[in-house]
Amino acid sequence: MPASASAKHLTSIELGRIRRAVNIARLMDTAVRLPVIGVRIGADSILGLIPAVGDIAGSLIGLFIIDEARRLGVPTHKLARMAVNLGIDAAGGTVPLLGDLFDVYFKSHRRNVGIILDHFGISEDELNQHI
């Protein structure tokens, strides 16, 4: 089935939930490109600099994305994979300084949104076309 055909079967509410998850993941993981080195960072990387509180805040936002996936009907095994991604991110973030660098590269929120998009067979570009 072509990806766009899958997107046609989603309601506007479902598309809105997916779009919201994508936007949150972008804000958390890839909102800003660092000049010179060209690496993209987001709020998760910055929040991670605040000991304990920042990592907890990032994880809570990650749990919101997983809950949206659950509400959309993403299967349990995919939700479990999303939880593992978030757990790896949270565990990596507990290591001072190295954890912050890990956050810059692992990008659990984007990985999890990728699972959602893959499940529904749509890309971010196709999602934006269904406004």
Side-chain angles (χ1 to χ4, degrees), residues 40-127:
R40 296 191 74 84
I41 66 167
D44 194 31
S45 300
I46 295 165
L47 284 171
L49 295 172
I50 304 168
V53 176
D55 292 321
I56 292 169
S59 294
L60 289 174
I61 292 168
L63 286 173
F64 174 78
I65 293 172
I66 294 171
D67 187 53
E68 285 289 25
R70 181 192 61 79
R71 290 173 186 243
L72 288 162
V74 172
T76 306
H77 71 280
K78 291 182 181 183
L79 294 174
R81 180 67 208 154
M82 292 171 74
V84 167
N85 286 340
L86 187 58
I88 290 169
D89 186 48
T94 62
V95 180
L97 296 177
L98 288 176
D100 299 321
L101 290 174
F102 177 76
D103 266 346
V104 170
Y105 291 99
F106 189 68
K107 301 181 186 326
S108 67
H109 306 294
R110 296 293 293 175
R111 288 173 188 258
N112 287 345
V113 163
I115 291 171
I116 295 170
L117 292 172
D118 184 58
H119 174 73
F120 290 105
I122 58 175
S123 68
E124 284 187 50
D125 291 337
E126 290 172 323
L127 184 64

Side-chain angles (χ1 to χ4, degrees), residues 12-65:
S12 61
I13 292 172
E14 291 168 329
L15 286 169
R17 285 185 172 177
I18 296 170
R19 198 173 288 116
R20 181 174 37 245
V22 167
N23 289 336
I24 290 170
R26 187 177 300 123
L27 173 69
M28 292 301 291
D29 288 341
T30 59
V32 177
R33 180 178 297 280
L34 294 176
V36 181
I37 58 175
V39 174
R40 296 191 74 84
I41 66 167
D44 194 31
S45 300
I46 295 165
L47 284 171
L49 295 172
I50 304 168
V53 176
D55 292 321
I56 292 169
S59 294
L60 289 174
I61 292 168
L63 286 173
F64 174 78
I65 293 172

